[in-house]
Amino acid sequence: MRRLSRKKALSLVKELDAFPKVSESYVETSASGGTVSLLAFSAMALLAVLEFFVYRETWMKYEYSVDKDFSSKLRINIDITVAMKCQHVGADILDLAETMITSNGLQYEPVIFELTPQQRLCKFKKIQKFWLREEHALQEVLYKTLLKGAPTALPPREDASMEPLNACRIHGHVYVNKVAGNLHITVGKPIHHPQGHAHIAAFVSHETYNFSHRIDHLSFGEELPGIINPLDGTEKITYNNNQMFQYFITVVPTKLNTYKISADTHQFSVTERERVINHAAGSHGVSGIFVKYDTSSLMVTVSEQHMPLWQFLVRLCGIIGGIFSTTGMLHGLVGFCFDVVCCRFKLGLYRPGEVLNQFSQSLQVRER
């Protein structure tokens, strides 16, 4: 009884088979079918490999929201070299929120302004030419350099030169409120007093004014190794003593979440302007370097995305199934075109002699 019930169950299952098998005796192979099958398998393998490379790639997803964090401090990282002696220049930051002046955290280091050939090749060719000209999008520069860990610091001088120290390197970091402010480097040391601030420039000769400068690094927020910012590597040379350089910066808070790093940093865009101070010609102002920054109310969240495994498998099945279905129709179309060509030009089985022989053989079979 159990055997009979099993046989009935197996027969029922066989009747529900939606993929009936065809006996091999009824299957005929051909050269055209083999060619189409070979092309189909090759296309499947090629597209599957390409799809695997797509699956391995990641992309950046950008989300925008309102920045509600106004109580925290904004960190400014500075590394600027000015072609003047350290005792002749002073740097400070004026915060417009409380008219707060700060210069704590900045260090003055006497250096040589001219770069050696090795330093110039490393700094300008590698940063400006390679990253900022060959890459097509600024965000790609930011995140690719972060993942690759490209160096941003200048290499040390290869020779202990006896040249005079004719420049001042101002570097360090300061914390300010997240509101508009002004970083300025001008003649004289700053003096802080309750009514504002001033720079003592009376004892500095006008002939020593030279605000040629090089921005080795300028960034906002947490300092991440490998990131190249828009002003990194900028060099300005002037031969006028009364030159004013202005940089207008818009800072955007950015949260970066990748598979390798997670940090709170800031992106910024910059507009440059420079002019000669000439009071007689109506061009008023103060000679120096002025970096005016303002923070954006929007925050950008950048997260690294990856294709899920199930989506990769679905796309792979779609590729294989689509090519398999298409090659079936393609095989029929190729066979039809082959038959039409052979019939038109009387080739192969469609030759007149062979056709008559086949017709006579069929008649003889019928008579028997």
Side-chain angles (χ1 to χ4, degrees), residues 38-52:
L38 183 61
L39 294 176
F41 292 144
S42 301
M44 288 180 187
L46 178 62
L47 293 179
V49 171
L50 294 178
E51 190 66 27
F52 177 72

Side-chain angles (χ1 to χ4, degrees), residues 122-225:
C122 176
K123 190 65 178 180
F124 297 102
K125 184 177 179 180
K126 192 169 187 178
I127 294 180
Q128 289 187 342
K129 182 179 179 180
F130 180 69
W131 293 114
L132 300 184
R133 295 180 186 176
E134 291 189 3
E135 296 290 346
H136 300 287
L138 182 58
Q139 63 268 21
E140 296 297 329
V141 176
L142 179 65
Y143 304 124
K144 284 183 180 180
T145 52
L146 173 62
L147 297 179
K148 293 180 181 179
T152 57
L154 281 175
R157 302 182 73 91
E158 61 270 17
D159 57 342
S161 178
M162 300 303 294
E163 298 180 12
L165 303 178
N166 57 356
C168 182
R169 179 191 175 201
I170 304 173
H171 60 97
H173 63 272
V174 294
Y175 291 90
V176 297
N177 294 325
K178 295 179 67 174
V179 292
N182 184 7
L183 162 66
H184 49 277
I185 302 174
T186 186
V187 179
K189 297 297 181 181
I191 297 179
H192 300 184
H193 56 86
Q195 301 299 325
H197 82 291
H199 289 258
I200 302 178
F203 303 101
V204 181
S205 175
H206 186 268
E207 286 73 15
T208 61
Y209 288 16
N210 186 2
F211 287 101
S212 300
H213 62 280
R214 182 178 61 253
I215 302 177
D216 295 324
H217 182 74
L218 180 63
S219 63
F220 297 83
E222 182 180 352
E223 189 172 6
L224 300 177

Side-chain angles (χ1 to χ4, degrees), residues 167-334:
C168 182
R169 179 191 175 201
I170 304 173
H171 60 97
H173 63 272
V174 294
Y175 291 90
V176 297
N177 294 325
K178 295 179 67 174
V179 292
N182 184 7
L183 162 66
H184 49 277
I185 302 174
T186 186
V187 179
K189 297 297 181 181
I191 297 179
H192 300 184
H193 56 86
Q195 301 299 325
H197 82 291
H199 289 258
I200 302 178
F203 303 101
V204 181
S205 175
H206 186 268
E207 286 73 15
T208 61
Y209 288 16
N210 186 2
F211 287 101
S212 300
H213 62 280
R214 182 178 61 253
I215 302 177
D216 295 324
H217 182 74
L218 180 63
S219 63
F220 297 83
E222 182 180 352
E223 189 172 6
L224 300 177
I227 286 187
I228 298 177
N229 297 277
L231 286 177
D232 291 357
T234 301
E235 186 178 46
K236 298 290 185 179
I237 304 297
T238 180
Y239 299 97
N240 195 301
N241 296 332
N242 294 326
Q243 190 79 13
M244 172 190 284
F245 296 94
Q246 293 177 304
Y247 299 94
F248 302 93
I249 293 178
T250 301
V251 183
V252 181
T254 304
K255 288 186 176 181
L256 181 62
N257 298 313
T258 66
Y259 292 106
K260 293 186 177 182
I261 193 171
S262 178
D264 293 337
T265 182
H266 291 73
Q267 302 179 83
F268 66 90
S269 60
V270 59
T271 303
E272 303 178 17
R273 182 187 177 189
E274 58 182 89
R275 61 187 176 92
V276 178
I277 303 300
N278 189 349
H279 298 285
S283 179
H284 303 290
V286 180
S287 303
I289 304 168
F290 300 87
V291 181
K292 298 182 179 181
Y293 62 90
D294 194 3
T295 57
S296 175
S297 59
L298 293 179
M299 180 178 63
V300 181
T301 302
V302 184
S303 56
E304 189 176 7
Q305 300 292 321
H306 187 271
M307 181 187 297
L309 180 60
W310 66 266
Q311 186 176 356
F312 168 69
L313 296 177
V314 169
R315 291 166 65 98
L316 199 61
C317 294
I319 290 174
I320 297 175
I323 293 179
F324 187 80
S325 302
T326 306
T327 51
M329 296 184 293
L330 182 62
H331 183 212
L333 180 62
V334 170

